[in-house]
Amino acid sequence: VSDPAAFESRLEKRSDFRKQPVGRSRQGDFIKCVEQKTDALGKQPMSRGFTKDKTLSSIFNIEMVKEKTAEEIKQIWQQYFAAKDTVYAVIPEEKFDLIWNRAQSCPTFLCALPRREGYEFFVGQWTGTELHFTALINIQTRGEAAASQLILYHYPELKEEKGIVLMTAEMDSTFLNVAEAQCIANQVQLFYATDRKETYGLVETFNLRPNEFKYMSVIAELEQSGIGAELKCARNQDKT
């Protein structure tokens, strides 16, 4: 090799390329996509199987539960969804307020899902109290026609009286299973409810200074948090 340094850097590039997340292109293309991104999300006709106007009262009798304590309501919510194949949570008021206030100034963000080869990125967009997700590759290929693949519904109706916000989800099961949807939902807490300035800083950069946003920093944050580790283990076992 006439220039060993050049050869080495080529090798590094190749190994970098192998580590590249799925559904990803170069940083510049990524930024362009992020800028066109998410205005369409949440305004789209929903994918198959999504409920239009999924209200809390369509799930249970709000008047009836008003007589119950926050703890009892939490148990009812958990029991109701335990048998269902979906994601759900009861979020304390302070945590929801923090997420909600941040979502007003930074309504979009990126999360990563461990896949067999690297990671796949999903873009999240707040639309009122609904949080819509679709795969980045879906936006890259379908643009404004990219439909939501996961919606997290937040219900603040009981927040003032009971100090809790109820959450549940619907997903397009041709794209995501429950464990994957849970991994994405956990990242909402990781990035929006964090005390770490650096972690929420990624959301701010994504929204306010997309040219400075490094998508690999999402993966670094995710790996440090341990979220999605069990998905990664499961994927590695699939390989063997």
Side-chain angles (χ1 to χ4, degrees):
V1 180
S2 59
D3 181 353
F7 179 68
E8 263 178 29
S9 84
R10 270 211 306 279
L11 274 181
E12 270 173 28
K13 279 208 178 76
R14 278 181 55 192
S15 71
D16 275 359
F17 184 73
R18 278 205 299 278
K19 283 186 276 190
Q20 285 274 335
V22 182
R24 263 296 318 112
S25 47
R26 288 185 308 279
Q27 181 74 15
D29 300 343
F30 172 77
I31 295 304
K32 211 160 53 208
C33 171
V34 165
E35 286 173 341
Q36 303 161 336
K37 61 192 181 283
T38 34
D39 301 338
L41 259 184
K43 299 187 187 122
Q44 275 317 303
M46 292 188 195
S47 315
R48 316 164 276 204
F50 284 103
T51 312
K52 191 147 177 47
D53 306 322
K54 190 178 172 73
T55 59
L56 183 58
S57 54
S58 69
I59 300 173
F60 65 23
N61 182 330
I62 299 173
E63 287 313 307
M64 192 185 78
V65 299
K66 275 190 173 162
E67 287 142 40
K68 303 200 175 298
T69 66
E71 193 48 49
E72 287 170 329
I73 295 169
K74 184 176 175 177
Q75 284 172 353
I76 293 167
W77 192 253
Q78 288 169 336
Q79 279 164 358
Y80 179 80
F81 285 108
K84 297 180 169 36
D85 227 11
T86 192
V87 171
Y88 56 92
V90 178
I91 306 169
E93 177 180 10
E94 311 75 56
K95 187 176 274 193
F96 180 79
D97 284 346
L98 178 62
I99 294 171
W100 181 247
N101 289 335
R102 287 172 164 179
Q104 303 317 297
S105 55
C106 294
T108 62
F109 83 117
L110 192 74
C111 60
L113 194 59
R115 292 293 195 196
R116 184 168 288 181
E117 297 300 328
Y119 287 83
E120 182 172 19
F121 283 109
F122 280 75
V123 179
Q125 166 81 38
W126 287 88
T127 303
T129 53
E130 293 178 7
L131 181 47
H132 290 243
F133 289 92
T134 195
L136 179 62
I137 197 159
N138 200 17
I139 296 176
Q140 286 173 328
T141 50
R142 307 204 53 202
E144 298 220 339
S148 303
Q149 292 165 329
L150 168 68
I151 303 174
L152 303 182
Y153 301 96
H154 300 84
Y155 298 110
E157 285 92 326
L158 300 167
K159 184 165 79 89
E160 300 305 317
E161 258 179 79
K162 307 293 181 184
I164 52 176
V165 172
L166 303 171
M167 185 274 276
T168 186
E170 290 185 310
M171 70 207 80
D172 186 334
S173 55
T174 55
F175 292 99
L176 291 168
N177 62 34
V178 174
E180 291 164 342
Q182 185 67 60
C183 179
I184 291 173
N186 289 346
Q187 289 179 63
V188 180
Q189 304 269 344
L190 172 68
F191 288 107
Y192 277 91
T194 180
D195 295 332
R196 278 188 81 231
K197 262 216 206 57
E198 299 84 349
T199 307
Y200 178 61
L202 295 180
V203 180
E204 290 184 305
T205 306
F206 186 75
N207 282 269
L208 309 174
R209 301 179 300 284
N211 291 322
E212 295 170 29
F213 183 80
K214 299 280 184 287
Y215 57 86
M216 295 306 275
S217 55
V218 169
I219 291 173
E221 201 64 47
L222 189 61
E223 289 185 342
Q224 195 182 328
S225 74
I227 292 173
E230 60 289 351
L231 281 180
K232 208 130 191 74
C233 293
R235 302 255 183 270
N236 291 338
Q237 281 158 6
D238 286 353
K239 286 184 197 172
T240 51

